[in-house]
Amino acid sequence: MTQKSSVDSSGQVKLGDVAEIRTGFMTTRNKSNGKDGKKFKYRLLNLKCIDNFGFINTSMVEDFESHEKLKSDFLTGVGDILIRLSFPYTVVFIDKKERCGLLVPSHFAIVRAKEPTSAKYIFWALRRTKSRAALMQKSASTVALPVVTKIQIEEVMIPGFSLEKQKIIGNLFICGEREFELSMRLANVKRSFYSAFLEQLNDKLNGENDGNH
C-alpha cells in the first residue's frame, strides 16, 4: 500500500496488491494412515474454533498427524489474517503468540500483509461491512457451494491510505476488538455464575418445600 501506482482514482487498492493470499492446507490429502512410519503432529484449527465474532477458542483445536513435515506457510503467525471461505466469511486476526503455530485447513484463506505494519489495518478493512458484502456477492457467483476463492479475495478493494493513517486506524481497531473480547468473556463468566447460583437456589427452595410436607 506504499506504492501509489497501485491506488486507483477512487483511492482504492486491490487486496492482492498489498497482501499475499493463499488457501489453507488440504488435510485429507496428507493425514497419517496410522501405519508404522514417521508422524508429524500439529494443532489443527477447525470451523468450531472460531465464533461469529472472529474470536478463536483454542480449547476446540484438534490434533492432526501428517506423514510428512508441512511448510510453515500453512501455520499461523502473528499478523496473519484468516478468512473463512464459506458463510459467514468470518475474518480472524492472529495477534497473540499462543495462537501461533496452528495448522490452517482449506476452510480458510490466509492473508499476509506485504508490509507488516499494515496487517492490523488490512484486518479492519476486511472486517468492514462493504468488504463482507463484496465477499458475499462474489461467492454468489460460484456454481456449486457459495464459497469465495483465492482469486476473488485478491480482487477485494480496500482504502489505499498512507502507512501513517493505516497505523492509526489499525491500532484503534485492535484496541476496540480486545475490549470487546474482554467484555464478551466477562459476560460469559457472569452468565455461568448466575446460572449456577439459580440452580443452587432452586435446589434449596425445593428442599424447603419438601420439608414443609
Side-chain angles (χ1 to χ4, degrees), residues 15 18-21 56 73 75-83 91-102 104 109-124 126 170-171 174 178:
L15 181 62
V18 297
E20 295 179 355
I21 304 164
I56 298 178
D73 293 345
L75 305 179
T76 56
V78 172
D80 283 356
I81 302 164
L82 309 181
I83 301 178
V91 182
V92 183
F93 188 64
I94 307 298
D95 63 341
K96 298 179 180 179
K97 290 184 178 180
E98 58 265 30
R99 294 173 182 172
C100 292
L102 301 176
V104 182
I110 307 169
V111 180
R112 292 186 172 118
K114 294 180 180 179
E115 176 60 55
T117 56
S118 298
K120 295 176 183 178
Y121 170 77
I122 292 176
F123 175 49
W124 166 80
L126 290 173
N171 287 335
I174 290 298
R178 287 174 177 169

Side-chain angles (χ1 to χ4, degrees), residues 152-170:
Q152 290 173 328
I153 294 174
E154 290 175 339
E155 294 175 348
V156 171
M157 304 298 290
I158 64 175
F161 292 130
S162 65
L163 284 176
E164 183 178 355
K165 292 179 179 178
Q166 290 175 41
K167 289 178 182 178
I168 294 173
I169 293 175

Side-chain angles (χ1 to χ4, degrees), residues 126-146:
L126 290 173
R127 273 285 188 88
R128 299 173 75 209
T129 302
K130 288 184 178 180
S131 297
R132 186 169 182 273
L135 290 174
M136 293 181 70
Q137 184 177 10
K138 292 178 185 297
S139 69
S141 64
T142 57
V143 178
L145 296 174

Side-chain angles (χ1 to χ4, degrees), residues 13 22-23 27 34 44 61 63 70 74 85 95 100 123 129-130 150 163 168:
V13 62
R22 70 181 306 153
T23 53
T27 55
L44 176 67
V61 170
D63 293 329
L70 305 180
F74 295 109
L85 298 179
D95 63 341
C100 292
F123 175 49
T129 302
K130 288 184 178 180
K150 170 182 176 292
L163 284 176
I168 294 173

